[in-house]
Amino acid sequence: MSNDTYILTTKDFTILEALCDNWQGRNDRLVALCRRKIQKAIVVFRDDLPGDVASINSRVRFRAHAGESDIRVISTGQATGPVGLFLPITTLRGLALLGLRASQKIEFENSNGLVETVLLEAVEYQPEASRRERQMMGQEAVTSLQRPHLRLVSGGMDGRHGQLAGACDGPDDPGPSAA
């Protein structure tokens, strides 16, 4: 795969198209990078996405400017959580990482006008790969069986004559004379 080719799921591709069409704030660098991703994208179904490709909601380890590694979850920017956990695709680095394969680099012009290089070192978690693994192990059926169920027991009230503990024989409303 060339360094200027990106693999996107149909969902991620659609999100990028909507983002490019409705970009708030009109950051020219973000729009340019978004259009570049769309033009150079190889679009696949989620079941066909290789496990080493960064998709939305993937946890990735990357390195910018040949600095220290950082681990983040690529998000759409709508997630709320601890600061520093998510890297929204509404940022240059988040958008740059989307669709990259492990060991692939991308260069883009950052907000200071300087060329920045980002290397995707590894995809540590990818929702599409996780889903495929669950399906292969049959856990989707097991998960539904783990929910608590109401179980009826025949003769469970035997010996109690249908009376609940603490119940009295008479009515619990003393009537108007109690007033």
Side-chain angles (χ1 to χ4, degrees):
M1 180 167 90
S2 99
N3 247 6
D4 206 24
T5 303
Y6 315 103
I7 302 174
L8 299 172
T9 64
T10 53
K11 175 185 163 192
D12 293 353
F13 184 82
T14 302
I15 289 170
L16 284 188
E17 280 186 320
L19 206 56
C20 277
D21 290 345
N22 304 310
W23 207 281
Q24 300 295 326
R26 301 313 255 170
N27 183 324
D28 292 336
R29 290 181 177 96
L30 280 168
V31 173
L33 182 56
C34 188
R35 287 191 179 131
R36 177 173 142 195
K37 291 273 181 167
I38 289 172
Q39 290 171 351
K40 303 285 184 166
I42 297 171
V43 182
V44 298
F45 292 112
R46 68 180 177 190
D47 290 338
D48 299 327
L49 186 68
D52 64 343
V53 174
S55 62
I56 292 177
N57 296 323
S58 291
R59 185 175 55 245
V60 297
R61 186 176 68 237
F62 67 97
R63 185 180 309 263
H65 299 301
E68 300 222 1
S69 291
D70 197 0
I71 298 175
R72 301 283 179 94
V73 175
I74 297 175
S75 71
T76 57
Q78 300 166 344
T80 58
V83 174
L85 178 63
F86 295 102
L87 186 59
I89 60 170
T90 54
T91 64
L92 284 167
R93 283 188 186 169
L95 182 57
L97 287 165
L98 185 64
L100 291 186
R101 221 175 179 152
S103 302
Q104 187 178 0
K105 292 180 183 180
I106 184 170
E107 289 184 348
F108 58 93
E109 191 175 320
N110 68 17
S111 57
N112 297 328
L114 303 172
V115 174
E116 183 172 323
T117 302
V118 174
L119 167 68
L120 177 62
E121 294 179 331
V123 176
E124 296 188 351
Y125 170 81
Q126 182 198 77
E128 293 82 4
S130 177
R131 179 179 177 273
R132 285 191 300 268
E133 287 173 15
R134 281 193 318 272
Q135 283 179 336
M136 287 177 60
M137 294 187 319
Q139 281 188 334
E140 288 186 337
V142 171
T143 303
S144 68
L145 294 175
Q146 291 175 347
R147 284 186 259 149
H149 294 280
L150 176 63
R151 194 174 89 175
L152 297 177
V153 179
S154 174
M157 298 283 292
D158 285 351
R160 296 190 193 158
H161 306 292
Q163 200 169 9
L164 298 175
C168 60
D169 292 322
D172 63 348
D173 184 2
S177 63

